[in-house]
Amino acid sequence: VVAARELLRSDRYAEATELLNNALVKKPNNAEAIFLRGFARLRTKQFQEALSDFEKAAAIDTELTEAVKLRDALKAEFVPKP
């Protein structure tokens, strides 16, 4: 997760996503890794995947307020209104 953060800071989103996917194989409920993968997906315009990651991260760790904020922003932007 630390190495993935560094990759994200360098705008190396695909590499960060790959590292995070590998980390999540070992610890599938790591809210921080899920959130960071969501951020990488957001930056690469994979909005549905990012939303899914933010929802999962927020459900696992309710203290992860940034995941909640980004989830809500994506929902407001991309989820159709009834």
Side-chain angles (χ1 to χ4, degrees), residues 1 3 8 16 19 48 51-52 56 67-68:
V1 174
L8 289 172
L19 277 182
Q48 261 328 114
L51 176 58
S52 177
K56 186 171 183 183
V68 173

Side-chain angles (χ1 to χ4, degrees), residues 24 27-32 34-35 37 49-62 64 67 71:
L24 288 165
K27 291 186 177 181
N29 289 321
N30 182 327
E32 181 183 12
I34 295 166
F35 167 75
R37 183 178 67 183
E49 294 87 348
L51 176 58
S52 177
D53 280 344
F54 294 144
E55 286 177 333
K56 186 171 183 183
I60 292 169
D61 183 354
T62 57
L64 197 53
R71 177 202 65 199

Side-chain angles (χ1 to χ4, degrees), residues 33-80:
I34 295 166
F35 167 75
L36 292 174
R37 183 178 67 183
F39 182 79
R41 288 173 164 175
L42 177 64
R43 299 297 292 199
T44 56
K45 299 184 183 347
Q46 299 174 53
F47 300 119
Q48 261 328 114
E49 294 87 348
L51 176 58
S52 177
D53 280 344
F54 294 144
E55 286 177 333
K56 186 171 183 183
I60 292 169
D61 183 354
T62 57
E63 304 277 319
L64 197 53
T65 57
E66 194 62 26
V68 173
K69 288 178 190 174
L70 290 171
R71 177 202 65 199
D72 292 348
L74 279 173
K75 279 185 174 180
E77 186 74 23
F78 295 103
V79 174

